[in-house]
Amino acid sequence: ACFLQGAAGILCYVGAYVFITYDDYDHFFEDVYTLIPAVVIIAVGALLFIIGLIGCCATIRESRCGLATFVIILLLVFVTEVVVVVLGYIYRAKVENEVDRSIQKVYKTYNGTNPDAASRAIDYVQRQLHCCGIHNYSDWENTDWFKETKNQSVPLSCCRETAGSCNGSLAHPSDLYAEGCEALVVKKLQEIMMHVIWAALAFAAIQLLGMLCACIVLCRRSRDPAYELLITGGTYA
């Protein structure tokens, strides 16, 4: 039972990781309900810490009532984690449509001169994921920013790390990242959701083991006549 406290810490870490990573990509994904699995998994992590304390105390004191409560709470948390897995798969399937709907608007409003949060998010994603444009660098030609600057250049965030003298000019496409960002953003967000799904599945399995161990202890105590006489105040010869 005591290992659940360690599991709780890991679950909270996974949930926090999802929140932090999502913040870097939130301009490309408007459906905040996608964070529900992360919220639930953090709440489950906090609850598991408390459950671990209950389980430890119940095991040490050999309390049947405490162990029974421990099993019931673990069962409820197990059901919650199954719900997290289901929600994770549902929202993972929605990622592609959400990104496709949002990324067009974000690129259209890009402002490299006085960058706002959305513009900084585009530059961040292009540098981090090594991509340029929605499908490729030619997408920049259709943006208002490209037409207003009239210098036939894309943002410097499109420049390959190995291209030292790159100024974003379309005259030197070999200096630019060739892959578009949409597919990579979708892949990244789906990976984030898979972290939640795998964490929920792993700890659901751990909880099953915890429930099984607690049930075994309960069965042994209920069949032990010496234990029964002890708790009823009798004697055993």
Side-chain angles (χ1 to χ4, degrees):
C2 299
F3 70 87
L4 289 176
Q5 292 171 296
I10 297 173
L11 280 178
C12 289
Y13 171 81
V14 172
Y17 167 78
V18 171
F19 269 101
I20 293 170
T21 310
Y22 180 90
D23 187 56
D24 296 328
Y25 298 88
D26 60 350
H27 292 283
F28 305 95
F29 199 77
E30 297 177 350
D31 189 356
V32 295
Y33 293 106
T34 309
L35 288 175
I36 290 177
V39 173
V40 174
I41 207 169
I42 289 176
V44 167
L47 184 59
L48 275 181
F49 182 82
I50 298 172
I51 293 172
L53 290 175
I54 295 173
C56 284
C57 294
T59 303
I60 292 171
R61 296 184 178 183
E62 298 183 340
S63 169
R64 292 182 62 190
C65 181
L67 284 172
T69 303
F70 176 65
V71 171
I72 292 170
I73 296 176
L74 269 185
L75 181 60
L76 292 175
V77 174
F78 174 79
V79 172
T80 303
E81 288 189 340
V82 171
V83 172
V84 168
V85 172
V86 173
L87 287 176
Y89 273 108
I90 290 173
Y91 290 128
R92 186 176 182 273
K94 294 174 62 179
V95 164
E96 189 169 356
N97 290 335
E98 282 288 328
V99 171
D100 183 58
R101 186 178 66 185
S102 302
I103 200 169
Q104 304 278 350
K105 290 187 273 185
V106 178
Y107 269 82
K108 187 174 179 60
T109 60
Y110 180 83
N111 187 335
T113 308
N114 298 301
D116 54 9
S119 301
R120 290 193 296 270
I122 289 176
D123 287 328
Y124 173 84
V125 165
Q126 291 190 152
R127 290 192 181 97
Q128 289 294 115
L129 302 184
H130 297 170
C131 58
C132 184
I134 299 173
H135 303 104
N136 54 59
Y137 58 79
S138 65
D139 291 325
W140 279 106
E141 297 180 66
N142 300 318
T143 64
D144 295 337
W145 174 81
F146 183 90
K147 295 171 184 176
E148 289 170 4
T149 55
K150 298 178 182 179
N151 60 6
Q152 297 298 303
S153 297
V154 297
L156 294 179
S157 56
C158 281
C159 292
R160 294 178 182 272
E161 292 178 346
T162 54
S165 59
C166 175
N167 61 3
S169 174
L170 290 179
H172 303 285
S174 60
D175 290 344
L176 309 175
Y177 293 122
E179 193 169 358
C181 293
E182 181 177 2
L184 294 177
V185 169
V186 169
K187 181 180 178 182
K188 184 68 176 180
L189 289 171
Q190 289 180 335
E191 285 177 357
I192 293 171
M193 198 55 61
M194 281 307 299
H195 286 310
V196 175
I197 292 171
W198 282 115
L201 284 174
F203 289 106
I206 290 174
Q207 285 170 233
L208 277 177
L209 180 61
M211 286 188 287
L212 178 61
C213 291
C215 287
I216 291 173
V217 173
L218 278 172
C219 290
R220 284 181 177 175
R221 296 308 178 203
S222 63
R223 293 175 183 175
D224 187 347
Y227 182 77
E228 290 294 334
L229 287 170
L230 179 64
I231 63 174
T232 57
T235 58
Y236 182 72

